Amino acid sequence: MKIINRTFYIDILKGWKDKHVIKVITGMRRSGKTTIMHQFMETLKDENVIEFDFNNIFMKKVSYIELQELIVSKADDKKTNYLFLDEVQEIENFEKCIVNLFEHRTIKFDIYITGSNSKMFSSSLTALFTGKNIEIKVFPLSFKEYFSYCKERNGNIQKLECFLKYVEYGGLPIILDYVDKEDNTRKIIEKVLADSVEIDVKRRHQIKTNAFQNLLKYIYAHVGQVISGINIANFLKSNVEAINYKTIMRYIGWLEEAFLIYKCPISSITGKRLLLQNNKYYASDTGVRNVECGKENTNRGSLLENIVLFELLRKNFRVVTGKLKDGKEINFVASKEGWEIYIQVTEKIDWDIESKNYKRDIGNLRSVRNNFPKVVISLYDESGVLMNGVMVINIVEWTLGENKYVVI
């Protein structure tokens, strides 16, 4: 299998090299964390590199004291030691090892660790290293990365054809060699999802109820829709699985920590305040979502929203859903360094100005009275400028970085 060079993340790691902070690389299982770590390690020629992989069953039996002694035995006290620990959360009390190495008096370590659960790092390390660790979130492949691989494999593949496969199968690097073999692709994605749920959530939090899986399926089936704990409780109760509100919200938090879902807060556009009662949730990978819910329960518009959200996050935007005074919505309000962009996402614009879809896609944007850009990102419409400054951007061009109307 050809390895995609994920330069976006490599450049981030290069920027933090030799800074006295712990580099914490997080993301869902099989999103490419280990590969990125190895690609960065290849840039450290002539350096003393120390690596341990805790997916190895023998390494899981090591105590944190034994690990520390092993690392120190491989270190050079006359130069910086670049330490890479992959899925280190498998070691009990791993944070004690990290703190001892980070503050070692005679040996200098530049430390990089990966993990598939954000809470494990934020709770353990932040308490010990306030202001001394930086989290680098790794997402599945962008469409630009995905297309570059598919194009090299099949020079005749069309951009739209490839994008539709990306929407269906997602961007987990492990599936790339199987995108033309649907059964194999589905089995791989099912395995990734099963491991994420079982290892990163159910086993860690000792969950035994089947309601947890139904909760995940409910969230995936309602990607891009407003979700409340009360609605979920009513749904589960109707399926003879009564769970109280607090338990549901705790389960949702654990799914977020395992990077299986991503919360998009809802914010008042005029008052700029978060509306805390409800949120929208998106799948960390559309392929995982589609395998869990099935093709028959697929709304392509919602999946396009999913892809747009993660593209914005890759570009380091802060993203919320905007709520207008009359209750109407803007899919995404993306902000960065005092700059805002208002975005609606659609499969295809309905050009009948009296239609419900036109009023939603275009009318809602025109209701926002400020000078920031207003954009409709569409699958089947060409890029261009509409009346009153609303801009149309084709999602395939945009995700490939080929859009000439550079506002995002």
Side-chain angles (χ1 to χ4, degrees):
M1 176 179 174
K2 180 182 178 298
I3 302 297
I4 294 177
N5 190 11
R6 305 193 71 181
T7 55
F8 174 79
Y9 295 105
I10 305 306
D11 289 343
I12 292 175
L13 290 172
K14 285 180 178 178
W16 286 103
K17 177 177 174 285
D18 295 324
K19 302 291 193 301
H20 194 51
V21 294
I22 300 168
K23 277 66 74 171
V24 183
I25 306 167
T26 62
M28 73 177 294
R29 284 184 179 268
R30 308 313 297 257
S31 59
K33 301 184 297 297
T34 302
T35 298
I36 290 166
M37 192 172 73
H38 286 158
Q39 289 176 355
F40 177 64
M41 287 166 60
E42 290 172 4
T43 70
L44 302 174
K45 296 178 180 178
D46 302 320
E47 303 287 1
N48 191 43
V49 174
I50 304 169
E51 178 195 5
F52 290 98
D53 177 7
F54 298 99
N55 287 306
N56 184 313
I57 190 169
F58 298 105
M59 287 304 302
K60 291 180 180 180
K61 299 178 180 179
V62 175
S63 72
Y64 82 89
I65 296 174
E66 291 171 326
L67 175 62
Q68 181 177 322
E69 292 173 348
L70 188 57
I71 292 170
V72 169
S73 72
K74 293 176 177 292
D76 185 335
D77 61 4
K78 295 181 175 59
K79 62 193 300 187
T80 299
N81 298 273
Y82 296 89
L83 175 62
F84 296 86
L85 305 175
D86 194 13
E87 299 291 346
V88 68
Q89 77 273 4
E90 299 295 335
I91 301 299
E92 187 176 358
N93 295 319
F94 74 92
E95 65 275 8
K96 295 181 181 179
C97 170
I98 300 296
V99 71
N100 290 338
L101 296 173
F102 184 74
E103 297 178 344
H104 203 287
R105 292 183 178 181
T106 60
I107 304 175
K108 183 178 180 180
F109 290 98
D110 191 15
I111 302 174
Y112 302 77
I113 58 181
T114 76
S116 302
N117 190 291
S118 64
K119 184 68 172 180
M120 192 168 294
F121 291 105
S122 60
S123 61
S124 300
L125 288 181
T126 301
L128 294 169
F129 300 105
T130 302
K132 294 296 184 181
N133 69 85
I134 179 71
E135 183 180 10
I136 300 165
K137 293 181 180 179
V138 172
F139 301 119
L141 297 173
S142 67
F143 177 59
K144 187 174 184 178
E145 292 172 316
Y146 182 93
F147 180 70
S148 69
Y149 181 89
C150 294
K151 187 70 174 177
E152 186 171 326
R153 193 166 178 226
N154 175 10
N156 295 320
I157 193 167
Q158 299 301 304
K159 294 174 184 176
L160 179 58
E161 173 192 359
C162 187
F163 184 81
L164 293 176
K165 285 189 175 183
Y166 178 70
V167 173
E168 181 173 355
Y169 297 123
L172 294 178
I174 193 174
I175 70 164
L176 284 177
D177 283 340
Y178 303 96
V179 290
D180 296 322
K181 302 173 182 177
E182 183 175 347
D183 287 346
N184 289 345
T185 301
R186 288 184 61 85
K187 288 176 182 176
I188 292 170
I189 296 173
E190 285 171 356
K191 181 66 166 59
V192 172
L193 178 59
D195 286 349
S196 295
V197 170
E198 181 61 34
I199 298 171
D200 298 325
V201 186
K202 294 181 74 172
R203 190 182 302 172
R204 180 166 187 259
H205 297 289
Q206 299 181 337
I207 300 172
K208 297 180 180 180
T209 173
N210 292 329
F212 180 81
Q213 197 75 34
N214 288 335
L215 167 64
L216 177 60
K217 183 171 288 189
Y218 179 90
I219 293 174
Y220 278 170
H222 293 81
V223 157
Q225 298 180 35
V226 177
I227 287 179
S228 72
I230 294 174
N231 289 343
I232 296 173
N234 291 336
F235 166 78
L236 294 175
K237 187 176 181 180
S238 69
N239 285 271
V240 200
E241 295 178 293
I243 298 180
N244 65 47
Y245 174 83
K246 287 185 178 180
T247 300
I248 287 170
M249 299 313 296
R250 189 163 61 246
Y251 283 1
I252 289 175
W254 292 341
L255 288 170
E256 288 184 77
E257 290 165 10
F259 304 103
L260 285 167
I261 61 174
Y262 188 92
K263 178 170 67 179
C264 185
I266 301 173
S267 175
S268 164
I269 287 177
T270 52
K272 302 296 183 185
R273 51 189 183 80
L274 292 178
L275 308 177
L276 300 178
Q277 293 88 347
N278 303 313
N279 292 290
K280 286 189 173 186
Y281 292 90
Y282 292 87
S284 294
D285 180 75
T286 55
V288 170
R289 181 264 167 215
N290 292 337
V291 162
E292 178 67 12
C293 292
K295 288 184 178 181
E296 65 277 6
N297 293 313
T298 297
N299 180 321
R300 187 179 283 169
S302 296
L303 298 182
L304 295 177
E305 279 186 44
N306 211 116
I307 289 168
V308 168
L309 171 64
F310 280 91
E311 192 67 20
L312 291 169
L313 294 175
R314 289 187 189 95
K315 296 175 184 289
N316 294 318
F317 281 98
R318 176 183 178 271
V319 187
V320 299
T321 291
K323 182 74 75 172
L324 297 164
K325 277 186 176 181
D326 58 5
K328 294 177 182 176
E329 260 182 22
I330 304 296
N331 290 149
F332 302 120
V333 181
S335 59
K336 181 167 59 175
E337 298 173 354
W339 179 256
E340 291 183 354
I341 303 168
Y342 295 79
I343 302 166
Q344 295 288 69
V345 184
T346 188
E347 188 170 357
K348 184 174 177 59
I349 297 173
D350 185 339
W351 293 104
D352 178 359
I353 62 174
E354 298 299 325
S355 71
K356 178 180 177 181
N357 288 345
Y358 183 90
K359 291 176 180 177
R360 179 198 65 209
D361 295 335
I362 310 297
N364 288 5
L365 288 174
R366 289 179 175 164
S367 297
V368 181
R369 305 296 183 183
N370 61 35
N371 294 323
F372 289 117
K374 318 295 190 300
V375 174
V376 180
I377 297 180
S378 170
L379 177 60
Y380 290 117
D381 292 284
E382 295 182 2
S383 298
V385 179
L386 296 177
M387 294 183 299
N388 299 329
V390 175
M391 189 175 296
V392 178
I393 292 179
N394 180 270
I395 193 171
V396 179
E397 292 178 1
W398 177 60
T399 50
L400 288 175
E402 297 175 354
N403 170 53
K404 62 182 178 180
Y405 301 97
V406 184
V407 294
I408 309 178

Short mmCIF file of all heavy atoms in Angstrom, two decimals, residues 1 3-10 13 25-40 55 86-87 114-116 136-142 145 171-176 192 259 284-285:
data_model
loop_
_atom_site.label_atom_id
_atom_site.label_comp_id
_atom_site.label_asym_id
_atom_site.label_seq_id
_atom_site.Cartn_x
_atom_site.Cartn_y
_atom_site.Cartn_z
N MET A 1 0.83 -1.20 0.00
CA MET A 1 0.00 0.00 0.00
C MET A 1 0.87 1.25 0.00
O MET A 1 1.79 1.39 0.78
CB MET A 1 -0.90 0.02 1.24
CG MET A 1 -1.73 1.29 1.39
SD MET A 1 -2.79 1.22 2.86
CE MET A 1 -3.47 2.90 2.81
N ILE A 3 1.91 4.94 0.81
CA ILE A 3 1.66 5.82 1.94
C ILE A 3 1.50 7.26 1.45
O ILE A 3 2.33 7.76 0.69
CB ILE A 3 2.82 5.74 2.97
CG1 ILE A 3 3.01 4.30 3.46
CG2 ILE A 3 2.56 6.68 4.13
CD1 ILE A 3 1.82 3.73 4.20
N ILE A 4 0.43 7.92 1.88
CA ILE A 4 0.21 9.32 1.53
C ILE A 4 1.04 10.19 2.47
O ILE A 4 1.00 10.02 3.68
CB ILE A 4 -1.28 9.69 1.65
CG1 ILE A 4 -2.09 8.92 0.60
CG2 ILE A 4 -1.49 11.18 1.48
CD1 ILE A 4 -3.57 9.16 0.69
N ASN A 5 1.80 11.09 1.88
CA ASN A 5 2.60 12.01 2.68
C ASN A 5 1.71 13.13 3.19
O ASN A 5 1.30 14.01 2.43
CB ASN A 5 3.75 12.58 1.83
CG ASN A 5 4.74 13.35 2.69
OD1 ASN A 5 4.70 13.28 3.92
ND2 ASN A 5 5.64 14.07 2.05
N ARG A 6 1.40 13.12 4.47
CA ARG A 6 0.45 14.07 5.04
C ARG A 6 1.19 15.32 5.54
O ARG A 6 1.39 15.54 6.73
CB ARG A 6 -0.37 13.39 6.13
CG ARG A 6 -1.06 12.11 5.59
CD ARG A 6 -2.10 11.58 6.50
NE ARG A 6 -3.27 12.44 6.53
CZ ARG A 6 -4.35 12.21 7.29
NH1 ARG A 6 -4.38 11.15 8.05
NH2 ARG A 6 -5.37 13.03 7.28
N THR A 7 1.59 16.11 4.56
CA THR A 7 2.47 17.26 4.81
C THR A 7 1.84 18.28 5.75
O THR A 7 2.56 18.97 6.48
CB THR A 7 2.85 17.94 3.49
OG1 THR A 7 1.64 18.29 2.78
CG2 THR A 7 3.68 17.01 2.62
N PHE A 8 0.51 18.40 5.75
CA PHE A 8 -0.17 19.36 6.61
C PHE A 8 0.20 19.13 8.07
O PHE A 8 0.56 20.07 8.80
CB PHE A 8 -1.69 19.24 6.42
CG PHE A 8 -2.51 20.08 7.35
CD1 PHE A 8 -2.68 21.44 7.11
CD2 PHE A 8 -3.10 19.53 8.48
CE1 PHE A 8 -3.44 22.22 7.98
CE2 PHE A 8 -3.86 20.30 9.34
CZ PHE A 8 -4.02 21.66 9.09
N TYR A 9 0.15 17.87 8.50
CA TYR A 9 0.45 17.54 9.89
C TYR A 9 1.96 17.53 10.15
O TYR A 9 2.41 17.90 11.24
CB TYR A 9 -0.17 16.20 10.25
CG TYR A 9 -1.67 16.22 10.21
CD1 TYR A 9 -2.38 15.62 9.17
CD2 TYR A 9 -2.41 16.86 11.20
CE1 TYR A 9 -3.76 15.66 9.12
CE2 TYR A 9 -3.79 16.90 11.17
CZ TYR A 9 -4.47 16.30 10.12
OH TYR A 9 -5.84 16.35 10.06
N ILE A 10 2.73 17.10 9.16
CA ILE A 10 4.19 17.09 9.32
C ILE A 10 4.69 18.51 9.57
O ILE A 10 5.55 18.75 10.43
CB ILE A 10 4.89 16.51 8.08
CG1 ILE A 10 4.35 15.10 7.77
CG2 ILE A 10 6.39 16.46 8.29
CD1 ILE A 10 4.42 14.14 8.90
N LEU A 13 4.02 19.55 13.14
CA LEU A 13 4.97 18.94 14.07
C LEU A 13 6.35 19.60 13.96
O LEU A 13 7.03 19.81 14.97
CB LEU A 13 5.07 17.44 13.80
CG LEU A 13 3.83 16.62 14.18
CD1 LEU A 13 3.97 15.17 13.71
CD2 LEU A 13 3.60 16.65 15.69
N ILE A 25 -0.73 13.84 19.98
CA ILE A 25 -1.37 13.63 18.68
C ILE A 25 -2.59 12.74 18.89
O ILE A 25 -2.46 11.57 19.28
CB ILE A 25 -0.38 12.97 17.70
CG1 ILE A 25 0.91 13.80 17.61
CG2 ILE A 25 -1.02 12.82 16.32
CD1 ILE A 25 2.05 13.08 16.91
N THR A 26 -3.78 13.30 18.67
CA THR A 26 -5.00 12.55 18.95
C THR A 26 -5.85 12.41 17.68
O THR A 26 -5.69 13.15 16.71
CB THR A 26 -5.84 13.25 20.03
OG1 THR A 26 -6.23 14.55 19.56
CG2 THR A 26 -5.07 13.40 21.33
N GLY A 27 -6.78 11.49 17.73
CA GLY A 27 -7.69 11.27 16.60
C GLY A 27 -8.30 9.89 16.70
O GLY A 27 -7.84 9.03 17.45
N MET A 28 -9.36 9.66 15.92
CA MET A 28 -10.03 8.37 15.96
C MET A 28 -9.10 7.27 15.46
O MET A 28 -8.09 7.53 14.80
CB MET A 28 -11.32 8.40 15.13
CG MET A 28 -11.13 8.42 13.62
SD MET A 28 -12.71 8.37 12.72
CE MET A 28 -13.29 6.71 13.16
N ARG A 29 -9.42 6.07 15.82
CA ARG A 29 -8.62 4.92 15.38
C ARG A 29 -8.51 4.89 13.86
O ARG A 29 -9.46 5.16 13.15
CB ARG A 29 -9.24 3.61 15.87
CG ARG A 29 -8.98 3.38 17.34
CD ARG A 29 -9.49 2.05 17.83
NE ARG A 29 -9.17 1.92 19.25
CZ ARG A 29 -8.07 1.35 19.72
NH1 ARG A 29 -7.19 0.86 18.89
NH2 ARG A 29 -7.84 1.30 21.02
N ARG A 30 -7.32 4.57 13.37
CA ARG A 30 -6.99 4.39 11.96
C ARG A 30 -7.13 5.68 11.15
O ARG A 30 -7.32 5.64 9.94
CB ARG A 30 -7.83 3.28 11.33
CG ARG A 30 -7.82 1.95 12.06
CD ARG A 30 -6.42 1.49 12.47
NE ARG A 30 -5.53 1.24 11.36
CZ ARG A 30 -5.20 0.03 10.90
NH1 ARG A 30 -5.69 -1.04 11.49
NH2 ARG A 30 -4.37 -0.10 9.89
N SER A 31 -7.03 6.82 11.82
CA SER A 31 -7.09 8.10 11.10
C SER A 31 -5.72 8.50 10.55
O SER A 31 -5.63 9.48 9.80
CB SER A 31 -7.63 9.21 12.00
OG SER A 31 -6.81 9.37 13.15
N GLY A 32 -4.67 7.78 10.93
CA GLY A 32 -3.35 8.05 10.36
C GLY A 32 -2.34 8.61 11.34
O GLY A 32 -1.27 9.07 10.93
N LYS A 33 -2.62 8.55 12.64
CA LYS A 33 -1.72 9.14 13.64
C LYS A 33 -0.33 8.50 13.60
O LYS A 33 0.69 9.20 13.60
CB LYS A 33 -2.32 8.98 15.04
CG LYS A 33 -3.67 9.62 15.23
CD LYS A 33 -4.15 9.50 16.66
CE LYS A 33 -4.37 8.06 17.11
NZ LYS A 33 -5.42 7.35 16.34
N THR A 34 -0.28 7.17 13.57
CA THR A 34 1.00 6.47 13.59
C THR A 34 1.80 6.76 12.33
O THR A 34 3.02 6.99 12.39
CB THR A 34 0.78 4.95 13.74
OG1 THR A 34 0.03 4.71 14.93
CG2 THR A 34 2.10 4.21 13.81
N THR A 35 1.14 6.76 11.19
CA THR A 35 1.83 7.05 9.93
C THR A 35 2.42 8.45 9.94
O THR A 35 3.56 8.68 9.52
CB THR A 35 0.85 6.90 8.75
OG1 THR A 35 0.39 5.55 8.69
CG2 THR A 35 1.54 7.25 7.43
N ILE A 36 1.64 9.41 10.42
CA ILE A 36 2.13 10.79 10.51
C ILE A 36 3.34 10.87 11.43
O ILE A 36 4.34 11.54 11.12
CB ILE A 36 1.00 11.72 11.01
CG1 ILE A 36 -0.06 11.87 9.92
CG2 ILE A 36 1.54 13.09 11.42
CD1 ILE A 36 -1.36 12.48 10.40
N MET A 37 3.28 10.16 12.54
CA MET A 37 4.39 10.15 13.48
C MET A 37 5.65 9.59 12.80
O MET A 37 6.74 10.15 12.93
CB MET A 37 4.02 9.32 14.71
CG MET A 37 4.99 9.46 15.86
SD MET A 37 4.38 8.65 17.37
CE MET A 37 4.61 6.92 16.93
N HIS A 38 5.49 8.50 12.05
CA HIS A 38 6.64 7.90 11.37
C HIS A 38 7.18 8.81 10.28
O HIS A 38 8.41 8.89 10.07
CB HIS A 38 6.25 6.54 10.79
CG HIS A 38 6.12 5.48 11.83
ND1 HIS A 38 5.38 4.32 11.65
CD2 HIS A 38 6.62 5.39 13.08
CE1 HIS A 38 5.44 3.58 12.74
NE2 HIS A 38 6.18 4.20 13.62
N GLN A 39 6.29 9.48 9.56
CA GLN A 39 6.74 10.41 8.53
C GLN A 39 7.55 11.56 9.14
O GLN A 39 8.54 12.00 8.56
CB GLN A 39 5.55 10.94 7.74
CG GLN A 39 4.92 9.90 6.83
CD GLN A 39 3.67 10.41 6.12
OE1 GLN A 39 3.20 11.52 6.36
NE2 GLN A 39 3.13 9.59 5.23
N PHE A 40 7.12 12.01 10.29
CA PHE A 40 7.87 13.07 10.97
C PHE A 40 9.21 12.54 11.47
O PHE A 40 10.24 13.22 11.38
CB PHE A 40 7.06 13.63 12.14
CG PHE A 40 7.78 14.68 12.93
CD1 PHE A 40 8.15 15.88 12.35
CD2 PHE A 40 8.11 14.45 14.25
CE1 PHE A 40 8.84 16.84 13.08
CE2 PHE A 40 8.79 15.41 15.00
CZ PHE A 40 9.15 16.60 14.40
N ASN A 55 0.58 -0.76 20.85
CA ASN A 55 -0.36 -1.71 20.26
C ASN A 55 0.22 -3.12 20.34
O ASN A 55 -0.51 -4.10 20.19
CB ASN A 55 -0.64 -1.34 18.79
CG ASN A 55 -1.51 -0.11 18.68
OD1 ASN A 55 -2.59 -0.06 19.26
ND2 ASN A 55 -1.05 0.89 17.93
N ASP A 86 3.48 5.52 20.95
CA ASP A 86 2.26 5.33 20.16
C ASP A 86 1.21 4.58 20.98
O ASP A 86 1.46 3.47 21.45
CB ASP A 86 2.61 4.55 18.89
CG ASP A 86 1.49 4.60 17.86
OD1 ASP A 86 0.56 5.42 18.01
OD2 ASP A 86 1.55 3.83 16.88
N GLU A 87 0.02 5.20 21.14
CA GLU A 87 -1.08 4.65 21.93
C GLU A 87 -0.63 4.35 23.36
O GLU A 87 -0.88 3.28 23.93
CB GLU A 87 -1.66 3.39 21.27
CG GLU A 87 -2.24 3.63 19.88
CD GLU A 87 -3.51 4.49 19.89
OE1 GLU A 87 -4.10 4.68 20.97
OE2 GLU A 87 -3.91 4.96 18.81
N THR A 114 0.82 9.59 21.04
CA THR A 114 -0.45 9.48 20.31
C THR A 114 -1.47 8.73 21.15
O THR A 114 -1.11 7.94 22.03
CB THR A 114 -0.29 8.74 18.97
OG1 THR A 114 -0.18 7.32 19.22
CG2 THR A 114 0.91 9.23 18.19
N GLY A 115 -2.74 8.96 20.85
CA GLY A 115 -3.80 8.23 21.54
C GLY A 115 -5.14 8.42 20.86
O GLY A 115 -5.35 9.39 20.12
N SER A 116 -6.04 7.49 21.12
CA SER A 116 -7.36 7.50 20.49
C SER A 116 -8.46 7.93 21.44
O SER A 116 -9.64 7.66 21.20
CB SER A 116 -7.69 6.10 19.95
OG SER A 116 -6.71 5.69 19.03
N ILE A 136 -2.62 18.03 19.02
CA ILE A 136 -2.69 18.11 17.55
C ILE A 136 -3.70 17.08 17.10
O ILE A 136 -3.46 15.87 17.17
CB ILE A 136 -1.31 17.85 16.93
CG1 ILE A 136 -0.30 18.90 17.44
CG2 ILE A 136 -1.38 17.87 15.41
CD1 ILE A 136 1.14 18.53 17.20
N LYS A 137 -4.86 17.55 16.66
CA LYS A 137 -5.94 16.65 16.27
C LYS A 137 -5.76 16.20 14.82
O LYS A 137 -5.66 17.02 13.92
CB LYS A 137 -7.29 17.34 16.45
CG LYS A 137 -7.64 17.64 17.90
CD LYS A 137 -9.01 18.30 18.02
CE LYS A 137 -9.35 18.59 19.48
NZ LYS A 137 -10.67 19.25 19.62
N VAL A 138 -5.75 14.89 14.63
CA VAL A 138 -5.62 14.30 13.30
C VAL A 138 -6.98 13.82 12.82
O VAL A 138 -7.64 13.03 13.50
CB VAL A 138 -4.62 13.14 13.31
CG1 VAL A 138 -4.63 12.40 11.97
CG2 VAL A 138 -3.21 13.65 13.63
N PHE A 139 -7.41 14.32 11.68
CA PHE A 139 -8.66 13.89 11.08
C PHE A 139 -8.38 12.87 9.97
O PHE A 139 -7.26 12.80 9.46
CB PHE A 139 -9.40 15.09 10.48
CG PHE A 139 -9.73 16.17 11.48
CD1 PHE A 139 -9.22 17.45 11.35
CD2 PHE A 139 -10.55 15.90 12.56
CE1 PHE A 139 -9.52 18.45 12.26
CE2 PHE A 139 -10.85 16.88 13.50
CZ PHE A 139 -10.34 18.16 13.34
N PRO A 140 -9.39 12.09 9.58
CA PRO A 140 -9.22 11.23 8.40
C PRO A 140 -8.81 12.06 7.18
O PRO A 140 -8.83 13.30 7.22
CB PRO A 140 -10.61 10.61 8.23
CG PRO A 140 -11.17 10.59 9.61
CD PRO A 140 -10.69 11.86 10.25
N LEU A 141 -8.47 11.42 6.11
CA LEU A 141 -7.98 12.10 4.91
C LEU A 141 -8.93 13.18 4.43
O LEU A 141 -10.15 12.99 4.41
CB LEU A 141 -7.78 11.09 3.77
CG LEU A 141 -6.74 9.98 3.99
CD1 LEU A 141 -6.80 9.00 2.84
CD2 LEU A 141 -5.35 10.54 4.17
N SER A 142 -8.38 14.30 4.03
CA SER A 142 -9.17 15.31 3.31
C SER A 142 -9.45 14.77 1.91
O SER A 142 -8.79 13.82 1.45
CB SER A 142 -8.40 16.62 3.22
OG SER A 142 -7.26 16.46 2.38
N GLU A 145 -6.31 14.88 -0.25
CA GLU A 145 -5.41 13.75 -0.04
C GLU A 145 -5.97 12.49 -0.68
O GLU A 145 -5.23 11.72 -1.33
CB GLU A 145 -5.22 13.53 1.47
CG GLU A 145 -4.44 14.64 2.17
CD GLU A 145 -4.44 14.49 3.68
OE1 GLU A 145 -5.51 14.18 4.25
OE2 GLU A 145 -3.38 14.68 4.29
N GLY A 171 -12.77 8.81 4.67
CA GLY A 171 -11.37 9.06 4.41
C GLY A 171 -10.40 8.33 5.31
O GLY A 171 -9.27 8.79 5.50
N LEU A 172 -10.79 7.19 5.86
CA LEU A 172 -9.82 6.41 6.65
C LEU A 172 -8.74 5.88 5.71
O LEU A 172 -9.04 5.20 4.72
CB LEU A 172 -10.51 5.24 7.35
CG LEU A 172 -11.53 5.61 8.43
CD1 LEU A 172 -12.18 4.35 9.01
CD2 LEU A 172 -10.89 6.43 9.55
N PRO A 173 -7.47 6.17 5.97
CA PRO A 173 -6.41 5.75 5.04
C PRO A 173 -6.39 4.25 4.76
O PRO A 173 -6.03 3.84 3.66
CB PRO A 173 -5.13 6.18 5.78
CG PRO A 173 -5.55 7.33 6.64
CD PRO A 173 -6.94 6.98 7.09
N ILE A 174 -6.82 3.45 5.72
CA ILE A 174 -6.74 2.00 5.58
C ILE A 174 -7.62 1.46 4.45
O ILE A 174 -7.38 0.38 3.93
CB ILE A 174 -7.12 1.32 6.92
CG1 ILE A 174 -6.75 -0.16 6.90
CG2 ILE A 174 -8.58 1.52 7.25
CD1 ILE A 174 -6.96 -0.86 8.22
N ILE A 175 -8.63 2.22 4.02
CA ILE A 175 -9.56 1.70 2.99
C ILE A 175 -9.10 2.00 1.58
O ILE A 175 -9.70 1.49 0.62
CB ILE A 175 -10.98 2.28 3.16
CG1 ILE A 175 -11.00 3.77 2.80
CG2 ILE A 175 -11.51 2.03 4.56
CD1 ILE A 175 -12.38 4.34 2.58
N LEU A 176 -8.05 2.77 1.39
CA LEU A 176 -7.74 3.29 0.06
C LEU A 176 -7.53 2.22 -1.00
O LEU A 176 -7.92 2.38 -2.15
CB LEU A 176 -6.50 4.19 0.12
CG LEU A 176 -6.74 5.59 0.70
CD1 LEU A 176 -5.43 6.36 0.78
CD2 LEU A 176 -7.76 6.35 -0.12
N VAL A 192 -13.04 -1.12 12.26
CA VAL A 192 -12.56 0.11 12.89
C VAL A 192 -13.60 0.63 13.88
O VAL A 192 -13.28 0.99 15.02
CB VAL A 192 -12.23 1.19 11.84
CG1 VAL A 192 -11.91 2.52 12.53
CG2 VAL A 192 -11.06 0.75 10.97
N PHE A 259 -13.55 10.33 19.63
CA PHE A 259 -13.52 10.90 18.28
C PHE A 259 -14.46 10.19 17.32
O PHE A 259 -14.23 10.19 16.11
CB PHE A 259 -12.08 10.88 17.72
CG PHE A 259 -11.09 11.58 18.60
CD1 PHE A 259 -10.23 10.84 19.40
CD2 PHE A 259 -11.02 12.95 18.65
CE1 PHE A 259 -9.32 11.47 20.24
CE2 PHE A 259 -10.12 13.59 19.49
CZ PHE A 259 -9.27 12.86 20.28
N SER A 284 -17.23 11.66 12.75
CA SER A 284 -15.83 11.96 12.47
C SER A 284 -15.39 11.43 11.12
O SER A 284 -14.37 11.85 10.59
CB SER A 284 -14.94 11.40 13.57
OG SER A 284 -15.20 12.06 14.79
N ASP A 285 -16.18 10.52 10.55
CA ASP A 285 -15.89 9.99 9.21
C ASP A 285 -17.20 9.56 8.58
O ASP A 285 -17.97 8.82 9.21
CB ASP A 285 -14.92 8.81 9.30
CG ASP A 285 -14.59 8.23 7.93
OD1 ASP A 285 -13.80 8.87 7.19
OD2 ASP A 285 -15.12 7.17 7.59
#
